[in-house]
Amino acid sequence: MRRTVFNEDHEAFRETLRAFIEAEVVPVYDEWFAAGQAPRDFYYKLAELGVFGIRVDEEYGGAGIDSYKFEAVLYEETARAGVNFGGSGVHVLLGLPYLKLLATDEQKKRYLPKFVSGEEMWAIAMTEPGTGSDLAGMKTTAKLSEDGTHYVLNGSKTFITGGVHADRMIVCARTSAPTKEDRRHGISLFVVDTKAEGYSVGRKLDKLGLKTSDTAELAFVDVKVPVEDLLGEENKGFYYLGHNLASERWGIAFGAYAQAKAAVRFAKQYVQDRVVFGQTVASFQNTKFELAACQAEVDAAEAVADRATEALDAGELTPAEAASAKLFCTEVAHRVIDRCLQLHGGYGFMNEYPIARLYADNRVNRIYGGTSEIMKSIIAKDMGL
């Protein structure tokens, strides 16, 4: 079926990006995998390519294109090559929406030029040990100083993607106690300089997948955050988090669909080359049926992902629709990638094959950004159940 979500500009970007990946990423990706992260200087190359500034206004050095479709192309091309760009994904997908929505003109002048150039990499710290998806239960606090010039930040965070390389961290913290009526009340967002005294990066976490993406634990001990770095209004942080979850979940959904599509590509190539019992694996009826079933699921996921993309660009993607897209695409990817790995046989279990890495990378999609169970709860609530 002919897709209508992309135009000539997107396809030109695809060609440029594909060439960039082949030249700058594929030859060194095994080194990144072994090191457990992409090198910091790689992010400057992404900045030069223009990846960080697509949705940033021109006055701050960006392209001023208010669309997520170029990011969608990036998801497809990195998955196609069996690579990822380390922790840079949170820089654009998670960090930028908060700056565009909440930053004052003065803050944008300070933050965005360095955001676009890669001089400052951004991430966001929400999850805490012991709270998981229950963001309303966070314990990290930010108390206003007596002279009113700064907040004092204390607490800890975990599972922070991009946490090792981040230069600026959007930290969620309590500025007021929750109320009996609303335990989500009292959360605020702060832009924290990771070089600030009392800010520390703990363990770089050893994950099952996404090995090239740095994920860390963070600790804050009496970190001083200037009042000028409060993002948005005090105590409205939970609302802001909810507002931006639709774009975050779209990104996970689209990325999962792209991974499923790539898995079919990897499996098709493998079974056409692999010979057993005197014939290619592709010639067996079971192989044909398995790949045909996988392709049908990918086609359906592509339609859901494309529809969500159009809705997001139009500003019409609702929380329930984003949850539905995430649930469907991530569950499809789980099934498809598993079946495609099975077609590789024993080689599918070896990390030298992209399907093995893809299998491990994909597993987190049904957890972060809200688990599949939470997505079902959101959808059910929207149904009036």
Side-chain angles (χ1 to χ4, degrees):
M1 293 179 284
R2 186 175 67 89
R3 298 176 78 185
T4 58
V5 68
F6 299 125
N7 61 29
E8 293 180 357
D9 291 338
H10 302 122
E11 296 306 330
F13 177 67
R14 185 188 303 279
E15 291 182 12
T16 299
L17 189 59
R18 187 174 296 183
F20 173 83
I21 290 170
E22 288 298 321
E24 300 289 346
V25 182
V26 172
V28 294
Y29 195 69
D30 286 346
E31 297 174 19
W32 296 6
F33 190 85
Q37 62 187 36
R40 177 63 175 83
D41 62 2
F42 171 69
Y43 299 144
Y44 288 109
K45 294 181 180 180
L46 287 179
E48 291 174 5
L49 192 65
V51 169
F52 297 155
I54 293 172
R55 290 191 289 111
V56 176
D57 292 341
E58 293 182 39
E59 63 182 297
Y60 305 116
I65 301 173
D66 190 20
S67 172
Y68 284 82
K69 292 182 180 180
F70 291 93
E71 286 167 56
V73 171
L74 188 148
Y75 285 128
E76 289 187 335
E77 289 305 306
T78 50
R80 179 184 182 276
V83 302
N84 68 62
F85 286 169
S88 65
V90 299
H91 179 70
V92 176
L93 182 65
L94 299 189
L96 185 58
Y98 289 96
L99 299 183
K100 294 186 69 172
L101 175 69
L102 304 174
T104 64
D105 289 342
E106 185 276 331
Q107 287 175 325
K108 288 178 180 178
K109 290 176 183 177
R110 284 194 289 126
Y111 300 151
L112 288 176
K114 293 181 179 180
F115 180 101
V116 172
S117 69
E119 184 177 345
E120 289 186 349
M121 295 299 296
W122 288 64
I124 185 166
M126 297 187 232
T127 306
E128 296 184 0
T131 62
S133 298
D134 181 19
L135 295 179
M138 69 177 62
K139 305 298 184 184
T140 297
T141 60
K143 297 183 178 180
L144 188 63
S145 62
E146 291 185 3
D147 62 6
T149 62
H150 62 273
Y151 292 86
V152 180
L153 184 66
N154 284 282
S156 61
K157 300 288 182 179
T158 193
F159 305 148
I160 309 307
T161 303
V164 174
H165 282 319
D167 302 289
R168 291 274 187 172
M169 184 68 64
I170 300 174
V171 178
C172 310
R174 283 209 163 275
T175 44
S176 296
T179 65
K180 291 182 179 180
E181 296 78 18
D182 187 3
R183 60 192 296 266
R184 300 170 296 180
H185 171 79
I187 295 172
S188 302
L189 306 184
F190 299 90
V191 174
V192 181
D193 186 339
T194 62
K195 297 184 292 296
E197 184 177 354
Y199 181 108
S200 62
V201 178
R203 293 184 303 152
K204 181 166 74 70
L205 300 173
D206 184 16
K207 308 185 297 296
L208 170 68
L210 297 177
K211 291 290 189 178
T212 63
S213 175
D214 56 298
T215 302
E217 296 174 329
L218 307 178
F220 320 112
V221 180
D222 294 334
V223 178
K224 294 182 178 180
V225 183
V227 293
E228 293 82 9
D229 287 328
L230 171 68
L231 199 57
E233 296 182 36
E234 261 196 15
N235 302 325
K236 291 188 176 181
F238 201 94
Y239 164 77
Y240 299 142
L241 295 174
H243 183 277
N244 284 331
L245 276 174
S247 61
E248 178 183 353
R249 288 168 178 163
W250 164 83
I252 297 170
F254 203 99
Y257 140 70
Q259 289 176 324
K261 183 177 181 178
V264 172
R265 176 175 179 267
F266 296 145
K268 180 182 176 183
Q269 290 175 333
Y270 178 81
V271 299
Q272 287 176 327
D273 294 336
R274 176 71 166 147
V275 175
V276 294
F277 304 113
Q279 57 185 315
T280 64
V281 175
S283 66
F284 291 97
Q285 186 180 61
N286 178 69
T287 303
K288 296 176 183 179
F289 281 4
E290 282 293 284
L291 282 178
C294 287
Q295 183 61 53
E297 289 218 75
V298 169
D299 286 344
E302 180 180 87
V304 170
D306 284 356
R307 186 181 69 173
T309 303
E310 295 286 16
L312 182 63
D313 268 11
E316 298 172 354
L317 185 65
T318 69
E321 290 168 345
S324 179
K326 180 183 184 295
L327 176 66
F328 183 78
C329 291
T330 58
E331 293 292 339
V332 164
H334 162 67
R335 293 191 297 268
V336 167
I337 294 170
D338 183 74
R339 294 168 84 171
C340 288
L341 186 149
Q342 188 73 14
L343 289 173
H344 282 70
Y347 289 105
F349 203 64
M350 302 296 113
N351 273 328
E352 64 185 278
Y353 281 79
I355 192 68
R357 299 180 184 183
L358 191 59
Y359 182 88
D361 289 350
N362 174 261
R363 185 58 185 87
V364 75
N365 288 334
R366 292 183 290 148
I367 299 173
Y368 67 4
T371 64
S372 290
E373 291 71 27
I374 288 178
M375 298 304 100
K376 292 174 183 177
S377 295
I378 294 171
I379 297 165
K381 184 178 180 180
D382 186 67
M383 295 170 65
L385 299 175

